[in-house]
Amino acid sequence: MWIKQGVIYKPDGSLPHSRTHAQVPFAYKHDDFLRVYFSSRDDSGQSRPTFIDVDYDDPKKILYIHDKPVLELGGPGEYDETGAMPAWFVNRPNGDIWLYYTGWNRTWNSYRLSMGLSVSHDGGLTFTKMFRGPIMDRSIQNPIWAAQPSVMIEDDGTWRMWYISGHKCEYIHGYPEPYYRAQSAVSKDGIHWEISDIPTLDFDDFLHAVGRPSVFKEDGIYKMFYSYRHSRDYRTDRNQSYRLGYAESIDGTNWERKDHLVGIAKSENPEDFDYQMIDYAYTYQHKGKKYLLYNGNGFGAAGFGYAVWED
């Protein structure tokens, strides 16, 4: 099971680009330290990606806090005009780093999400958009929106993606709540994607939304951590809010949920940062140990923490 180690980082509000939130943490390995990218919000509530560097053996030991975003927002009318949330980082053979991210557009009563791609030529300190438009957006397969991809390159060069796909909205307490499931796609170049007709994680009586599918491959099996919730009162009722799930697949297309094996749950202590919800997990390994980064209350407003796997 996962043994919780507590909060690593929560913004103190002193940086203009990072007043609140440290959402969707992603562990990017350097030789001497671990860089954790995440999404933070400014005074207007707009998200941008930034990072901190931490000690491998003690991630609570923060070595550096970056003082600016690594990617700026898009221009007027563009898909990422009001927010850019990091999703997945992919190393390229020429030394570049590709960042797949979620672009936010606020609408008059809700929001629209699209999937963007940016590139860094300086080791991940700055990223620039590769295209003015998104690489995936609302479509026949994604009626409402497409966002938060997890990306893998297979040994044969095939690119694979697992992402969240918005399928409908329903008014609940006067607000249009989105329903979104997990879907998959394949690509030859990481840019143009063919979406599978087989849902990765489909809706059920409780799973009304899937947050951040985080896929890795171990012992020839595709494995995924994800968060899921109900659509009603999930912001205020911990019984309806995000919790973590786990699934496995032999082929990466057909998945079996095995939530009983996830090994971690919300805290039962009301004082803890993950009492109301637990979400947006990402796993990595270092020196033979398995680590899990994850968010807690307020969709990342309480910061992100970590846990270590013990058999």
Side-chain angles (χ1 to χ4, degrees):
M1 61 182 299
W2 294 103
I3 306 301
K4 295 179 181 180
Q5 305 296 318
V7 177
I8 294 176
Y9 179 73
K10 174 186 175 182
D12 64 7
S14 63
L15 298 171
H17 72 287
S18 183
R19 299 297 194 196
T20 66
H21 290 73
Q23 289 180 268
V24 292
F26 184 100
Y28 186 91
K29 291 185 172 182
H30 285 261
D31 290 340
D32 301 321
F33 59 88
L34 182 71
R35 177 160 292 168
V36 183
Y37 289 95
F38 57 91
S39 176
S40 204
R41 301 186 188 182
D42 62 17
D43 289 327
S44 299
Q46 296 180 333
S47 297
R48 292 177 179 82
T50 187
F51 67 84
I52 62 172
D53 296 336
V54 302
D55 183 84
Y56 268 117
D57 297 317
D58 180 10
K60 288 184 179 180
K61 183 179 179 182
I62 297 174
L63 307 176
Y64 172 74
I65 299 175
H66 201 46
D67 62 354
K68 58 180 69 70
V70 299
L71 175 68
E72 283 297 343
L73 303 183
E78 295 183 10
Y79 69 94
D80 51 355
E81 179 183 3
T82 58
M85 180 177 287
W88 215 260
F89 296 75
V90 178
N91 292 325
R92 305 302 295 128
N94 64 352
D96 287 350
I97 304 171
W98 284 13
L99 165 58
Y100 291 84
Y101 69 100
T102 299
W104 289 71
N105 266 151
R106 291 177 178 169
T107 62
W108 71 275
N109 67 343
S110 184
Y111 57 90
R112 176 180 176 180
L113 307 179
S114 305
M115 198 182 299
L117 181 59
S118 62
V119 61
S120 174
H121 306 299
D122 59 8
L125 295 177
T126 60
F127 289 82
T128 55
K129 290 169 65 169
M130 293 177 63
F131 310 101
R132 291 282 298 279
I135 62 167
M136 192 180 293
D137 201 350
R138 62 171 58 162
S139 63
I140 294 173
Q141 299 98 332
N142 307 309
I144 305 298
W145 41 252
Q148 212 57 31
S150 171
V151 179
M152 179 186 300
I153 306 174
E154 301 282 20
D155 292 339
D156 65 359
T158 300
W159 293 67
R160 306 195 73 162
M161 174 196 291
W162 299 266
Y163 69 100
I164 56 176
S165 175
H167 276 249
K168 67 176 181 177
C169 283
E170 289 186 358
Y171 277 93
I172 300 174
H173 304 316
Y175 183 81
E177 296 289 1
Y179 288 65
Y180 43 96
R181 70 186 187 189
Q183 296 184 182
S184 66
V186 296
S187 173
K188 296 179 180 179
D189 58 10
I191 299 170
H192 306 90
W193 295 88
E194 297 179 12
I195 300 170
S196 173
D197 293 329
I198 301 173
T200 298
L201 297 172
D202 211 349
F203 302 109
D204 64 21
D205 290 341
F206 184 88
L207 190 154
H208 293 173
V210 173
R212 193 197 197 173
S214 182
V215 178
F216 61 104
K217 206 170 184 180
E218 187 175 61
D219 301 324
I221 299 173
Y222 297 89
K223 301 181 178 182
M224 177 197 302
F225 288 102
Y226 59 94
S227 43
Y228 64 106
R229 61 164 176 79
H230 200 268
S231 59
R232 182 172 293 274
D233 301 323
Y234 62 90
R235 295 178 182 86
T236 56
D237 184 349
R238 69 187 301 269
N239 295 314
Q240 306 286 72
S241 65
Y242 272 127
R243 70 282 319 275
L244 292 184
Y246 172 77
E248 293 183 352
S249 173
I250 299 299
D251 59 8
T253 301
N254 299 277
W255 289 80
E256 180 182 358
R257 290 178 64 180
K258 298 184 177 183
D259 294 339
H260 62 287
L261 298 179
V262 70
I264 191 170
K266 302 172 193 176
S267 171
E268 295 301 320
N269 181 355
E271 301 301 318
D272 288 344
F273 92 111
D274 56 355
Y275 173 75
Q276 289 290 341
M277 63 182 69
I278 184 170
D279 42 19
Y280 309 143
Y282 178 86
T283 187
Y284 68 96
Q285 295 190 31
H286 177 65
K287 293 182 178 179
K289 298 177 70 173
K290 298 179 181 179
Y291 296 81
L292 189 76
L293 300 175
Y294 64 94
N295 282 125
N297 303 338
F299 313 96
F304 61 85
Y306 81 106
V308 179
W309 179 262
E310 290 189 8
D311 294 316

